Amino acid sequence: MSYLTLAQAKQSLGNDLYVSAYDDFTNPGTPSDTVLQEDIDYVTSVINKYLIKTYDVIGTPITATETLAILKGYAEHILKYKAYQRFDESEVPAVVVDRYREVTDELTAVSNGTEMLPGQAQNTLSGAVTFGFNSATNDTESPTPIFRRTDMAGY
């Protein structure tokens, strides 16, 4: 599921950046929608890379209106950064770089679970490792924990 359509991407980039960054070399002066769609797919995969840790974006697509609006904004900022890189990586405006960093910071916070997307249920993934501080018996398990709060008082 893409968070940005081709028409929305064109509008977000503006005509000058769209024509400059996505110029079709076989037909100069004509932008290539195919290359733009590839970048939209790239942006979607970047966002999903962050979300997959806390949301089931593959099995259950994100449908909450508020969340889709947020992700569309993130996609626009990442796409604009990608377009400037495609056009001339040495001349990416500072505001575009700053917005890209803000978006990746936000996505990292969502990925870590410190921020939540509105209207979406987080996955409750079980950890790969479980810890148990139980005393060993013949079957190596006991319902009686070794470390109790009352036993450890004063240490």
Side-chain angles (χ1 to χ4, degrees):
M1 172 187 184
S2 181
Y3 303 112
L4 198 59
T5 65
L6 193 62
Q8 291 169 335
K10 290 178 185 178
Q11 182 180 8
S12 171
L13 292 173
N15 192 53
D16 290 342
L17 182 57
Y18 169 61
V19 171
S20 300
Y22 296 97
D23 192 18
D24 186 355
F25 296 114
T26 59
N27 189 7
T30 306
S32 173
D33 286 348
T34 305
V35 178
L36 178 58
Q37 186 60 53
E38 289 172 2
D39 280 358
I40 292 169
D41 294 341
Y42 166 80
V43 167
T44 301
S45 69
V46 167
I47 292 173
N48 285 344
K49 177 190 79 166
Y50 285 98
L51 298 182
I52 202 161
K53 290 183 180 178
T54 48
Y55 295 94
D56 184 12
V57 293
I58 296 171
T60 310
I62 291 177
T63 56
T65 306
E66 298 160 340
T67 298
L68 288 174
I70 290 169
L71 295 179
K72 177 183 175 246
Y74 289 171
E76 288 174 345
H77 291 304
I78 295 171
L79 182 66
K80 190 170 281 192
Y81 180 77
K82 177 82 171 152
Y84 272 106
Q85 278 188 323
R86 182 179 291 283
F87 178 65
D88 185 1
E89 191 169 339
S90 65
E91 294 186 17
V92 180
V95 68
V96 173
V97 173
D98 290 344
R99 287 183 181 155
Y100 173 78
R101 287 185 182 144
E102 289 171 7
V103 165
T104 55
D105 289 346
E106 289 284 327
L107 287 170
T108 300
V110 170
S111 175
N112 294 336
T114 55
E115 290 186 13
M116 292 180 63
L117 295 174
Q120 290 298 129
Q122 284 186 318
N123 287 344
T124 53
L125 302 174
S126 60
V129 178
T130 56
F131 297 96
F133 296 101
N134 294 332
S135 59
T137 61
N138 291 340
D139 59 0
T140 68
E141 289 186 352
S142 172
T144 310
I146 295 174
F147 302 108
R148 291 188 196 93
R149 187 178 301 266
T150 56
D151 295 338
M152 299 304 294
Y155 284 103

